[in-house]
Structures are given as structure tokens and as C-alpha cells.
Amino acid sequence: VFGVSGRAVAGLFRLRPRHDPLDRLALLLLVAGLVLLLLAQMDAGEGAARGMAHLLIGAALLTFTIGLRVLEPGTTSLSGLQRYVTVAYGWLVVAAVLLMAGAFAGANGRFPGQPELHAVGAGFLTNLIIGFGSRALPLFEHRALRGVAGLSLAFWLIQYSVATRVIGAFVALPDVVIATAAPAGLLGFVLGVIPLLDLLLRGRAETPHSAGRFISPMGRSAGG
């Protein structure tokens, strides 16, 4: 994720040049945190080591996001499809804060319900996949993306699902809200992925003659 964000996301969304020293520091913190977490897993009773590992990993995520400069004023955008990427890194910051706070306040170094995992998985990764895909695939396939209205609805369904899971770890929410969180997230993901799959399938359907063939460096088509 660090590599994709540093190169593909930064280039595709024309972010400001990243802070390389912060990138290197984030990598060191992440490696140290993962090693310490592995050692803590080998000793199930060592809660302090697990808490320190989460603290280091959270610091790594926060340092990386700051170094990427994706949330700086003038760079962020909550309009169009770029809002997926902006909100994705917003959830990554939330996960980082939860990891670091849980190291001090949570049992065994984390909060009950593991809200940081929801912030990373459903919040960061889901938004990043849809946001990056909706920007990159039209460029690679040389075709327009259809179903943008569905992507707008998907965006709000995903944020509702993630926010419910994260907030619900600290505040008692109505049963109806909790019950609708998972279906809303699943529906949002499906609505977000359908336009991407449609774009890929249209590309395959419109170029059947290219199956089993490739273009050589000399410009000639060779059979498979």
C-alpha cells in the first residue's frame, strides 16, 4: 500500500512532491511495529508489547499520510471521484489515531470491537480501490466510465457503514443502525465495483480479435 500510494496515487492525482524522509521514517516504524507485534503474538500474555507494537504501527500510518501530503489544504477534494481517495486517507488517519490511543487506553493494546480494523479495511482499502480504479481504469482502457451516479450513492453507503462500525465501538447505537451497517457497506462496495467491471468487460468485448495475440516491439502482430 505504501508503494502504490507513493507512486501511482501521487502521480495519478497530481499530489505535491512527497516528503521522502517521512516516508523512510514511516517504513522503519512499520517494520519495527510488525516485528514487535509478531513477538507479542508468540507470548499471548504480553499486553505491553502488543500495545507498543500498535503504537508504532499507528505512528507509521500517520507519518506516511503526512509525508504523502494527500490531505494538505489545496490538495484534498471532496468533489467528484477524488473524494474516494481523500476520504480513504482520512480513514487511515482515524485508524492510526485509534491504534495509538488504544495502546494506552485499550485492553491488550486495543479498543474492544477493533474499530481500527474497520477504519483500515472498510474505510481505507475499500475507498482506495474504488477511487483509484475509477480514475486509473478509464486511462488504461481508453474508455469513459459509466454509472457515475451509482458511484456517488456507493460513496455514502460505504462511509455510513464504516462510521457506524467505528462509532459503535464507543457509543451505543440503535439496533436498526447497527443492523443496516453491514448491508449498506456491501451494497456500496457492489455499486462501486460494478462500473469498474463494466469498463473492463466492455474493453474485452470490443477487442475480440486481440485474444491470443500480442504486439511486438517492431509493431507487428504475432499470433498466440
Side-chain angles (χ1 to χ4, degrees), residues 35-113:
V35 170
L36 188 56
L37 183 61
L38 178 61
L39 295 176
Q41 294 291 350
M42 297 172 63
D43 185 359
E46 189 56 50
R50 188 176 293 106
M52 180 58 67
H54 292 161
L55 180 63
L56 291 173
I57 294 173
L61 298 180
L62 184 60
T63 302
F64 173 76
T65 304
I66 295 173
L68 188 60
R69 308 178 71 178
V70 66
L71 297 179
E72 286 188 357
T75 300
T76 59
S77 175
L78 293 177
S79 62
L81 297 177
Q82 187 172 345
R83 61 184 171 182
Y84 271 104
V85 175
T86 299
V87 172
Y89 286 95
W91 282 119
L92 190 63
V93 170
V94 171
V97 172
L98 289 173
L99 279 169
M100 292 187 291
F104 297 101
N108 293 323
R110 69 193 324 166
F111 290 112

Side-chain angles (χ1 to χ4, degrees), residues 117-130:
L117 295 184
H118 295 298
V120 170
F124 173 66
L125 291 178
T126 301
N127 280 292
L128 185 63
I129 289 171
I130 298 175

Side-chain angles (χ1 to χ4, degrees), residues 81-175:
L81 297 177
Q82 187 172 345
R83 61 184 171 182
Y84 271 104
V85 175
T86 299
V87 172
Y89 286 95
W91 282 119
L92 190 63
V93 170
V94 171
V97 172
L98 289 173
L99 279 169
M100 292 187 291
F104 297 101
N108 293 323
R110 69 193 324 166
F111 290 112
Q114 303 179 6
E116 70 281 354
L117 295 184
H118 295 298
V120 170
F124 173 66
L125 291 178
T126 301
N127 280 292
L128 185 63
I129 289 171
I130 298 175
F132 180 78
S134 62
R135 186 70 175 267
L137 287 181
L139 296 177
F140 296 152
E141 296 291 331
H142 303 288
R143 290 173 178 82
L145 189 68
R146 300 190 302 195
V148 177
L151 285 171
S152 298
L153 176 59
F155 175 82
W156 293 111
L157 288 172
I158 292 170
Q159 311 325 314
Y160 167 77
S161 177
V162 181
T164 299
R165 293 171 181 272
V166 172
I167 296 173
F170 304 96
V171 179
L173 298 175
D175 292 341

Side-chain angles (χ1 to χ4, degrees), residues 141 143 194-207:
E141 296 291 331
R143 290 173 178 82
I194 284 177
L196 306 183
L197 294 177
D198 169 70
L199 185 62
L200 291 173
L201 293 176
R202 278 190 290 133
R204 302 300 179 268
E206 292 173 10
T207 57

Side-chain angles (χ1 to χ4, degrees), residues 209-224:
H209 60 279
S210 63
R213 303 168 68 89
F214 68 94
I215 304 300
S216 71
M218 300 301 295
R220 296 178 180 178
S221 178

